[in-house]
Amino acid sequence: MQRRPDQDHEDNKRTSTNGFRVSEHLLPEIPTGERKMEHVRLCLNEDVNGQGISTGFEKYRFRHLALPELSFSDIRLAAAFLGEELRTPLLISSMTGGSKTTGLINERLAAAAEARGWSLGVGSIRAAVEKPELSDTFAVRRNAPTIPVIANLGAVQLNYGFGAEACQRAVDIAGASMLVLHLNSLQEVFQPEGNTDFSSLLQRIEALCKKLEVPVGVKEVGWGIDGSTAARLYSAGVSFIDVAGAGGTSWVQVEKYRNQDPMRKAAAEAFADWGIPTSDCILEVRKYNPGRALIGSGGLTNGVDAAKAIGLGADLAGFGRSLLESAVHSEEALHERLAQVEFELRAAMFGIGVRTIAELQGTSRLIKH
C-alpha cells in the first residue's frame, strides 16, 4: 500500500529532550530573517570561505615512518587542558544558539561531544543573557554532563554594559567550566547591527579575569591572533587562547549576504583574503608563549589537520563549520563525522610512530615543504 507523504514526515520526527518536535534534517525548519538562523543557512548554502588565503596546513607534511614499532590499538587520544583530563584533544568550536532550531543543533552537538569525549563550545550567549527565555537554547550541560563546556560572549560587549555578573550568567546558562570572549572586530564593522567600540578592551578583559571564578579565554572568529597579541592577553590574566585563524569561514563574507548597504557589500570583497593563516598563528603564539594553554582552530576539516595543529603546538584542535552540515542533517551523521576525524587523527599518529598526544606535540616528523 502506498504511504501518504505526511506519514513519512511524521515518521521522520522525534521529541527532543526539551520537548521540541524535531525533524531529522533541521535546515528546512530554519526560516530567514533571524540573525542566528540566517548565519546557519548562509554558512551551509553560500561560499563564505576566505578567498586567496588558506590555513597554511598544506605547507606542512608528516614525514612517514615505515616502521612505527607500535600497534594501532595502542594509539591513545587522551589529553589534558587547564588541568582537566580529556578523552580526546578535539573541540567542537563555538557555533550557534539563540533560537529554537539552533538550540536543537546545540542539543545534537552536546550529545555527540559527550558520547565521543570532545570538548564543546557554544555560540555567543549574549541573546540569552539579555532575553532569559532563550536560555534553553544554550543549556547544553544536560546533554553533556562530563566534558568541558565553554561559554561564549563577544569581548566587545564589555564596552556595552556587560560586566562580571552578565558573564557569570552566561557561564551559568551553559553550565560551563570556562568562558571564552570572542574578538570579531571586522565582523562587527560589516554586520548591520554591529558594535564597533573596541577601545580599552584589554583592561576590561583583565578586570574580568580577576573577578570571574572560571578560567577566561579569548578567541578570534576566523582572522587569527598573532603571538604578541596573545602575550598581552596572557599577561592580562587570560587562561587560554583559541587562535581561530584564517583559511575557513570569513565572517565578512557571511555578513556581506545580510547587509543591505550596497557600499558595504561591495567593500566586503576587499577583505576576502584578510587574516593570519591558522598554522602561522599556532606557531607564533606558541613561540611567544611556551607552556600556555592553546587551541588551534580555523578551517580544520579532518583529523590530519588536527594532527598538524597539535604537532605545531596546539593543545586542542577545534572544528566549526566543517561539522555543521552533519549536525543539521542527523544525529547519526554527526556521530559518524566525529568518529572519522578521530580515526584520521589516530591514523596520522600511527603513520609517524607516536603513541600519545604528548608525543605528537613534540614530534620532529612534521616538516615544512
Side-chain angles (χ1 to χ4, degrees):
M1 183 174 66
Q2 189 173 10
R3 293 171 59 83
R4 300 191 318 273
D6 61 334
Q7 283 181 301
D8 291 328
H9 179 67
E10 287 302 315
D11 286 351
N12 198 35
K13 284 191 172 185
R14 65 175 178 83
T15 301
S16 70
T17 56
N18 58 13
F20 293 135
R21 297 292 289 174
V22 193
S23 70
E24 277 298 293
H25 197 295
L26 296 177
L27 186 57
E29 297 187 8
I30 301 177
T32 57
E34 199 282 331
R35 182 170 62 181
K36 297 296 184 183
M37 295 188 287
E38 278 189 297
H39 282 164
V40 171
R41 185 179 291 279
L42 290 170
C43 284
L44 288 172
N45 292 341
E46 302 293 346
D47 183 4
V48 293
N49 264 14
Q51 302 296 319
I53 192 166
S54 73
T55 63
F57 288 133
E58 75 284 356
K59 298 176 183 178
Y60 294 87
R61 181 162 298 176
F62 285 106
R63 186 172 173 82
H64 177 64
L65 182 60
L67 186 62
E69 293 281 19
L70 55 85
S71 169
F72 185 68
S73 62
D74 290 337
I75 304 294
R76 295 289 177 262
L77 297 187
F81 189 73
L82 293 178
E84 291 199 51
E85 297 299 317
L86 312 176
R87 282 182 279 161
T88 76
L90 302 170
L91 165 72
I92 297 178
S93 294
S94 307
M95 280 194 276
T96 196
S99 69
K100 175 180 175 179
T101 303
T102 54
L104 294 168
I105 294 172
N106 272 342
E107 275 192 19
R108 285 186 178 174
L109 293 172
E114 176 69 24
R116 305 212 61 89
W118 290 45
S119 301
L120 174 68
V122 297
S124 173
I125 308 180
R126 172 190 170 189
V129 173
E130 295 175 339
K131 298 180 179 179
E133 64 270 22
L134 298 176
S135 296
D136 205 47
T137 69
F138 296 99
V140 295
R141 182 56 82 186
R142 64 192 169 204
N143 289 318
T146 68
I147 60 171
V149 170
I150 306 175
N152 175 22
L153 284 172
V156 73
Q157 297 310 316
L158 299 178
N159 277 343
Y160 289 84
F162 274 47
E165 183 179 342
C167 292
Q168 184 61 54
R169 201 150 61 243
V171 170
D172 294 340
I173 287 168
S177 40
M178 57 193 84
L179 172 71
V180 72
L181 301 171
H182 65 260
L183 301 173
N184 64 334
S185 55
L186 283 181
Q187 182 187 8
E188 297 288 349
V189 166
F190 282 87
Q191 191 175 91
E193 58 278 85
N195 298 134
T196 56
D197 180 8
F198 275 69
S199 60
S200 304
L201 271 185
L202 186 63
Q203 66 188 48
R204 293 186 184 278
I205 292 171
E206 183 173 15
L208 179 65
C209 291
K210 292 176 180 177
K211 292 179 181 178
L212 218 58
E213 293 184 1
V214 299
V216 176
V218 170
K219 74 185 298 291
E220 240 287 344
V221 299
W223 294 292
I225 295 177
D226 64 82
S228 59
T229 299
R232 291 163 60 208
L233 288 164
Y234 283 127
S235 295
V238 165
S239 296
F240 65 97
I241 297 290
D242 181 346
V243 298
T249 304
S250 167
W251 283 94
V252 167
Q253 301 310 303
V254 174
E255 298 298 347
K256 173 185 71 177
Y257 288 102
R258 298 185 61 243
N259 205 309
Q260 301 304 308
D261 178 350
M263 182 274 289
R264 294 196 183 210
K265 287 175 77 75
E269 298 302 324
F271 292 85
D273 65 351
W274 194 269
I276 310 169
T278 299
S279 58
D280 292 352
C281 292
I282 296 170
L283 280 171
E284 237 188 80
V285 174
R286 181 53 76 215
K287 176 183 177 181
Y288 278 80
N289 309 277
R292 305 304 298 263
L294 176 60
I295 299 172
S297 73
L300 277 68
T301 61
N302 56 54
V304 178
D305 285 345
K308 289 178 180 180
I310 294 166
L312 290 172
D315 298 300
L316 301 183
F319 290 76
R321 185 162 62 95
S322 62
L323 304 179
L324 185 57
E325 183 175 358
S326 297
V328 167
H329 187 271
S330 69
E331 293 175 1
E332 182 181 12
L334 178 59
H335 279 270
E336 289 175 353
R337 182 79 177 85
L338 300 190
Q340 180 177 333
V341 171
E342 293 168 30
F343 175 81
E344 291 162 348
L345 173 56
R346 293 179 70 228
M349 293 169 66
F350 188 60
I352 59 171
V354 300
R355 192 184 312 267
T356 67
I357 295 302
E359 291 177 7
L360 176 60
Q361 284 184 302
T363 186
S364 61
R365 302 194 73 86
L366 182 60
I367 57 174
K368 195 168 187 178
H369 68 94

